Amino acid sequence: MTDGLVDFTMPSLGSDMEAGTLVEWLVRPRDKVKRGDIVAVVETQKGAIEIEVFEDGEIAEILVEPGQKVPVGTPLARVRKGVPASAAAEAVAAAAAPPPPRAPAPEPKVVAPRRKEGRVLASPAARELARSLGVDLAKIEGSGPGGAIVRADIVGRATAPEEKKPIGLDLAAMREAISAAMARSKREIPHYYLQHQIDVTPSEEWLARTNAGRQPADRLLFAVVAMKAVALALKRFPQFNGFWREGKFEPAAAVHVGLAIAIRGGGLAAPALHDVDRLSLDELMTRLRDLVPRMRAGRIRGSEMADATITVSSLGERGVEALFGVIYPPQVALVGFGTIVRRPWLTENEVRARSVVTITLAADHRVSDGHAGALFLDEIGKLVQEPEKL
Amino acid sequence: MNETEIRAIFLQELGNIAPEMDLQRLDAYADLREALDIDSMDLLNLMTALHRRLGVNIPELDYPKLMNLDGALRYLGDRLK
């Protein structure tokens, strides 16, 4: 067991990022941290991003103050590794998981918040919950130690009408980031494109049947069927999942699907849903419902921004039947789903009205060829038609 | 619940989905998806919010009846009678 000091550095949140501005620390020296804890907020071209720590330990020293802009790789803080994660820290992690049916979860004392100038007294778990729900902490009265806001104070508020403003999003900077990434993609990646039309009537009917017995909060969207189908097809066609780096293809072991999300007012981002191949459709839907509003409000975690292994883009009900994507470097493929349309379709020698979707593939010719691409698209098409097996 | 209250809640929830739109000027018969640029996820969030706030569980088959302001208020008014 080591208890040495390690640097916590400004992460690269995309191949186009060179520097970031530290906006806020969510920890102070001597705070215990666990791998995956969100410890700071960094402003990048893509908006304010929450940064996770990758070691268990204790914050030894803060090196960069809020407001400073530093290059990628600059040490932001030192973490003393191997300090046994305190029970308190574990309690926080447990509290951050979806709450069980409201057992009186004791709010940990050790990380009980301290007052800081201009800052509301709140536990880290409460802070995270408030952020994910878009609740303003300043408007809540705390019932925890010293009047601190705890999770229970927020759960009741989440249903109250809240103000929603895109906070951490700078659309001009986002436009710049898109232009840099897309120009690089078109300059460097030899794209090829394929399209495949399939009848998704059975899939739509299955969704309608499934959703008919559910409350709105538990309903599924076609988007999760599409993403899961892509993720499972990638298991058979790994040459579309991974990165092109330094002149060669690095396949990715996990399937993290970047979902292209349009930002109101203009702009686009593709944060990652992790391990899509291993999630059920219901789990995926829960993640999607969490991710989309956070993305639109500009609250995205560093790991979600940086590590998608493929992108899926869907034009929802925007009326366009097919899209030909520009690959997001260093990824090597993008799968597009057009609008589902009603069309005359030949089944068993009879023309019938069916729901049809056009699936497209943009892929990197340095890594794969059209033949493999065609088989990959065909596999996605088959999987989409049998959502009950996903 | 009266018509004014239903209208206020409906517009508030629409506003949560499309915060930059001036909903006071929304045409009562305009298709909401087009007028407010709403996608399937927005629509589902709207239905979830209406269920939470009004207690009306709107089945997917009824979504088309709520696709403009006039239709939505009439539908919700009927369900809350």
Side-chain angles (χ1 to χ4, degrees):
Chain A
M1 282 281 118
T2 57
D3 60 351
L5 289 173
V6 290
D7 286 337
F8 170 66
T9 59
M10 175 65 75
S12 171
L13 304 167
S15 52
D16 48 339
M17 172 171 163
E18 286 166 6
T21 305
L22 193 109
V23 177
E24 186 188 7
W25 281 108
L26 305 176
V27 292
R28 310 176 80 196
R30 302 189 56 79
D31 277 359
K32 304 273 192 288
V33 292
K34 275 172 68 82
R35 182 187 161 83
D37 282 355
I38 293 161
V39 296
V41 179
V42 168
E43 179 77 30
T44 73
Q45 284 181 316
K46 290 167 184 145
I49 305 233
E50 297 175 331
I51 306 297
E52 300 138 287
V53 67
F54 292 100
E55 307 283 351
D56 292 340
E58 180 184 277
I59 302 293
E61 192 184 355
I62 300 270
L63 301 171
V64 170
E65 292 304 315
Q68 277 183 267
K69 182 172 186 175
V70 297
V72 167
T74 306
L76 301 174
R78 291 225 167 81
V79 180
R80 184 167 292 114
K81 259 172 69 171
V83 174
S86 68
E90 290 190 348
V92 171
R102 294 293 313 276
E107 212 55 36
K109 282 235 173 61
V110 182
V111 281
R114 305 151 192 85
R115 186 168 301 278
K116 207 171 128 188
E117 266 180 62
R119 189 117 176 248
V120 182
L121 207 57
S123 76
R127 219 171 264 289
E128 185 175 337
L129 182 67
R131 197 175 297 125
S132 68
L133 296 170
V135 171
D136 185 355
L137 285 175
K139 291 181 182 160
I140 289 182
E141 206 164 313
S143 64
I149 297 165
V150 295
R151 281 178 58 94
D153 298 326
I154 293 167
V155 173
R157 288 309 176 92
T159 52
E162 63 245 20
E163 265 177 66
K164 274 193 195 158
K165 263 184 282 171
I167 34 169
L169 276 185
D170 177 343
L171 293 180
M174 182 179 271
R175 176 54 44 198
E176 247 176 70
I178 294 169
S179 97
M182 295 298 100
R184 180 183 155 203
S185 174
K186 282 285 183 171
R187 213 164 42 235
E188 295 178 4
I189 304 177
H191 289 63
Y192 68 86
Y193 305 95
L194 301 170
Q195 77 169 47
H196 184 38
Q197 259 194 343
I198 58 158
D199 173 5
V200 286
T201 313
S203 188
E204 278 204 320
E205 287 170 353
W206 180 84
L207 275 173
R209 274 198 309 277
T210 305
N211 287 342
R214 295 179 174 209
Q215 299 189 342
D218 301 323
R219 286 177 197 160
L220 300 174
L221 292 174
F222 181 76
V224 296
V225 173
M227 275 197 296
K228 184 76 188 283
V230 170
L232 290 183
L234 284 172
K235 296 312 243 181
R236 278 189 59 196
F237 297 92
Q239 63 268 55
F240 299 96
N241 189 51
F243 311 102
W244 179 268
R245 283 198 187 116
E246 286 160 24
K248 61 176 196 297
F249 175 57
E250 295 172 8
V255 179
H256 302 327
V257 176
L259 182 68
I261 295 173
I263 308 296
R264 300 189 74 86
L268 175 71
L273 283 155
H274 292 161
D275 301 311
V276 170
D277 54 321
R278 291 198 253 151
L279 297 176
S280 69
L281 293 181
D282 282 314
E283 286 167 331
L284 252 180
M285 192 65 209
T286 305
R287 300 277 185 94
L288 188 65
R289 292 185 86 133
D290 166 63
L291 183 69
V292 173
R294 276 198 295 119
M295 183 65 240
R296 289 184 170 154
R299 282 291 187 179
I300 280 295
R301 290 178 202 127
S303 63
E304 292 171 327
M305 217 55 226
D307 64 2
T309 57
I310 187 169
T311 297
V312 170
S313 178
S314 135
L315 287 178
E317 299 101 58
R318 296 306 199 276
V320 174
E321 279 186 52
L323 70 128
F324 300 93
V326 182
I327 299 167
Y328 190 79
Q331 294 166 30
V332 298
L334 181 149
V335 177
F337 285 82
T339 304
I340 297 176
V341 289
R342 296 288 286 173
R343 287 283 178 271
W345 196 260
L346 207 57
T347 47
E348 293 156 20
N349 280 330
E350 253 185 78
V351 179
R352 297 202 176 100
R354 304 290 281 181
S355 296
V356 175
V357 73
T358 302
I359 310 174
T360 55
L361 172 71
D364 187 335
H365 225 322
R366 295 171 299 188
V367 182
S368 63
D369 301 315
H371 177 67
L375 296 175
F376 176 48
L377 267 191
D378 190 52
E379 175 78 3
I380 296 171
K382 284 181 184 143
L383 290 164
V384 162
Q385 284 172 309
E386 297 185 310
E388 66 277 9
K389 293 186 185 165
L390 291 177
Chain B
M1 188 169 292
N2 67 37
E3 216 183 297
T4 319
E5 289 167 311
I6 295 173
R7 184 188 175 87
I9 288 173
F10 187 75
L11 286 179
Q12 197 176 31
E13 291 305 334
L14 270 186
N16 280 339
I17 286 162
E20 78 286 8
M21 293 289 183
D22 179 3
L23 297 177
Q24 297 311 317
R25 295 184 177 194
L26 182 64
D27 181 340
Y29 300 99
D31 186 300
L32 292 175
R33 287 164 300 186
E34 285 169 25
L36 304 179
D37 195 13
I38 287 177
D39 64 16
S40 56
M41 179 58 105
D42 293 328
L43 194 62
L44 182 54
N45 285 335
L46 177 65
M47 299 306 170
T48 307
L50 292 174
H51 182 226
R52 192 184 69 214
R53 298 200 57 195
L54 298 171
V56 180
N57 183 355
I58 303 163
E60 281 187 329
L61 285 173
D62 287 350
Y63 284 7
K65 296 178 187 163
L66 289 98
M67 283 307 108
N68 63 51
L69 184 60
D70 181 71
L73 296 181
R74 235 174 323 135
Y75 178 89
L76 292 170
D78 286 347
R79 290 283 307 268
L80 285 165
K81 254 178 204 157

